Amino acid sequence: MTSFDRLGLSKNLVNQTQALGYEHPFPIQEQAIPAILSGKDVMGIAQTGSGKTASFILPILEKLQKAPLVRNRAIDVLILVPTRELAIQIQGVCTEFNKDLQQEVRTMAVYGGISINPQMKGMLGVNVLIATPGRLLDLLDHKALSIEEVQLFVVDEADKMFQMGFDEEMDRIIALLPKKRQNLLFSATLNDKVAEMKSRLVIDPVIVEIERTEDQEGHLQIEESAYAVDPTQKGPFLRYLIKSKEMKRVLVFVSSSRTADNLCEKLNKNGIKAAAIHGKKSQGARNSSLKDFKANEIDVLIATDLISRGIHIDDLDVVINYELPRSPLDYIHRIGRTGRANAVGKAISLITEEEEHHFKIIQKKNKTRIALEETRDINLQGY
Ligand code: AMP
């Protein structure tokens, strides 16, 4: 089992974890601490109780105890939280770990419902500010602090933020932050709004998923992403995705039987075990492909929309839209096939320039926003 001293933290902080009786890092800490220390953005899907607070407070303190800190009204780290209770709780965790740092790191929690004056006065020299959105904006209006030099920005309990209607406040705050910064986004669920925030807040994030994530109706959550791909590169890019990410249990959607067959042949030639099912195959052939897929004898099943409606496959890891469906509703049907117990399902779309407009319509109708990730710099040679 990993111990805290394997995560890149200095001895003094490791000692504090021991003093608190933390024997081993929780999974979220094991995954998030090294990622945050390396400067990467992190998207954490985890609930209270998972140990998420320490997973970001420890690396924040580690970074700040070694950083040149200026004592003015420009804060270094901003942690945005939905409630005063959470602000107080996080401040408490900061205090616990703040005992033996290489240099003093000042932390402070600000929230509404109490007088603003002491908070304004106390702001000088604060390094880590934990704040609820409304009170932070009040303090900014009073010029009590500046967030223009924030190096690390955390949104905790993002789903609750939206539930409480802080959409606009968060946008205003984010607009005031410097462009270059590290972002950490935590949420118990990955609903549409959080997914939308994820697509514009965190860049190439390390994703840490801790618990089964369901929305309030008990639906499984699906993480949608999309890549801008040149039409001639779709095949190589698909093979790159499957191979480099070692994908298994992948359902690939195409728009015609011919594409399905061609794609299947190419995948098999490249050592990826695949089968195609579409309307031009006999019932017997379809059944046996499906059986092989369910028995994990093939890793990739390629299907057209027509045929996919009638089939039921549980436990898919990934749905890939090699080509987009015609209707937004078909898109929902397609991606709804992923999502396993204890994991967020993944839906990936490969989008050519020509398909971009159609993809925008699908997103608009489905009330989602999916950032188009560039692929130009990915070396597809050998795929
Ligand atoms: P949180 O998810 O931040 O609300 O943490 C939940 C509880 O777990 C808190 O009471 C922490 O003090 C505790 N905790 C966090 N990390 C550890 C750990 N590695 N070992 C034992 N307890 C922990």
Side-chain angles (χ1 to χ4, degrees):
M1 208 181 259
T2 316
S3 65
F4 271 103
D5 55 14
R6 294 281 178 85
L7 302 179
L9 296 167
S10 298
K11 192 85 187 96
N12 58 343
L13 280 170
V14 175
N15 289 344
Q16 292 302 331
T17 63
Q18 282 164 357
L20 286 173
Y22 293 5
E23 283 180 26
H24 297 284
F26 285 166
I28 191 166
Q29 294 159 353
E30 210 174 303
Q31 294 171 60
I33 291 172
I36 298 170
L37 287 175
S38 77
K40 295 210 60 139
D41 282 4
V42 170
M43 164 90 229
I45 302 154
Q47 321 210 332
T48 301
S50 58
K52 72 178 156 69
T53 316
S55 84
F56 62 83
I57 292 301
L58 281 167
I60 285 172
L61 293 177
E62 173 68 31
K63 278 165 178 258
L64 291 182
Q65 71 168 345
K66 291 179 173 158
L69 298 176
V70 186
R71 305 272 164 216
N72 58 18
R73 289 185 182 270
I75 58 165
D76 302 284
V77 173
L78 176 61
I79 303 170
L80 219 50
V81 296
T83 61
R84 69 183 272 165
E85 286 73 24
L86 189 57
I88 294 167
Q89 194 184 309
I90 296 175
Q91 168 67 7
V93 176
C94 286
T95 312
E96 283 174 331
F97 288 122
N98 210 340
K99 298 209 169 93
D100 184 31
L101 297 183
Q102 287 171 26
Q103 66 173 337
E104 192 201 0
V105 174
R106 285 200 52 206
T107 64
M108 185 175 173
V110 293
Y111 38 82
I114 55 166
S115 164
I116 196 168
N117 287 335
Q119 295 180 351
M120 282 172 65
K121 289 201 186 105
M123 203 58 70
L124 193 66
V126 167
N127 306 112
V128 180
L129 186 70
I130 307 143
T132 52
R135 180 51 59 102
L136 175 62
L137 286 168
D138 281 350
L139 287 161
L140 286 165
D141 286 343
H142 282 89
K143 305 226 174 335
L145 78 155
S146 155
I147 58 171
E148 284 167 16
E149 287 169 44
V150 164
Q151 301 152 35
L152 199 149
F153 176 52
V154 186
V155 179
D156 197 10
E157 300 202 351
D159 46 357
K160 197 151 184 193
M161 288 279 204
F162 288 116
Q163 236 174 42
M164 293 177 70
F166 285 132
D167 310 36
E168 213 178 287
E169 281 90 335
M170 281 196 285
D171 284 347
R172 277 179 62 196
I173 291 163
I174 291 168
L176 293 171
L177 294 169
K179 288 232 156 56
K180 199 172 161 284
R181 55 171 205 263
Q182 188 178 1
N183 298 289
L184 315 178
L185 177 59
F186 291 92
S187 183
T189 57
L190 190 65
N191 58 30
D192 284 356
K193 285 205 167 174
V194 178
E196 191 273 336
M197 176 170 242
K198 169 181 171 256
S199 69
R200 64 196 165 96
L201 193 70
V202 290
I203 301 163
D204 188 23
V206 170
I207 296 174
V208 184
E209 297 161 359
I210 296 306
E211 283 177 45
R212 181 186 172 90
T213 53
E214 284 177 352
D215 64 16
Q216 271 130 10
E217 283 96 43
H219 298 134
L220 289 166
Q221 294 298 299
I222 300 162
E223 190 192 299
E224 295 166 76
S225 56
Y227 292 95
V229 188
D230 188 271
T232 60
Q233 297 301 304
K234 264 197 177 177
F237 185 72
L238 177 71
R239 296 192 286 277
Y240 157 80
L241 269 184
I242 294 170
K243 281 191 170 170
S244 68
K245 304 203 189 299
E246 296 178 3
M247 288 179 177
K248 299 246 178 321
R249 310 200 57 73
V250 186
L251 182 59
V252 178
F253 280 104
V254 295
S255 51
S256 74
S257 307
R258 231 177 85 199
T259 314
D261 284 335
N262 288 342
L263 202 58
C264 187
E265 199 187 312
K266 285 257 173 62
L267 288 179
N268 281 315
K269 257 194 200 148
N270 279 274
I272 298 168
K273 285 185 273 176
I277 47 170
H278 51 71
K280 298 218 169 90
K281 294 229 170 189
S282 71
Q283 192 62 48
R286 287 183 222 165
N287 288 350
S288 86
S289 296
L290 213 50
K291 204 169 115 245
D292 289 348
F293 188 64
K294 286 180 176 170
N296 291 326
E297 275 162 29
I298 54 169
D299 296 320
V300 181
L301 191 65
I302 306 158
T304 56
D305 283 310
L306 199 69
I307 206 71
S308 79
R309 293 234 178 92
I311 58 168
H312 287 283
I313 311 163
D314 296 326
D315 277 5
L316 278 175
D317 285 345
V318 194
V319 165
I320 298 179
N321 293 310
Y322 186 80
E323 290 162 323
L324 283 176
R326 241 171 262 148
S327 81
L329 194 61
D330 276 336
Y331 177 87
I332 296 288
H333 282 317
R334 283 184 180 186
I335 70 166
R337 291 169 176 282
T338 180
R340 295 156 53 113
N342 302 317
V344 173
K346 287 193 176 62
I348 303 171
S349 300
L350 311 191
I351 309 294
T352 62
E353 213 177 326
E354 212 175 292
E355 288 170 303
E356 268 182 44
H357 179 66
H358 184 49
F359 190 49
K360 283 205 180 111
I361 293 173
I362 289 178
Q363 292 173 64
K364 205 166 162 206
K365 279 266 158 63
N366 291 333
K367 297 195 176 67
T368 54
R369 249 172 70 184
I370 306 161
L372 206 50
E373 294 172 40
E374 285 302 331
T375 58
R376 255 172 308 192
D377 296 337
I378 298 173
N379 184 1
L380 293 177
Q381 251 176 12
Y383 290 101

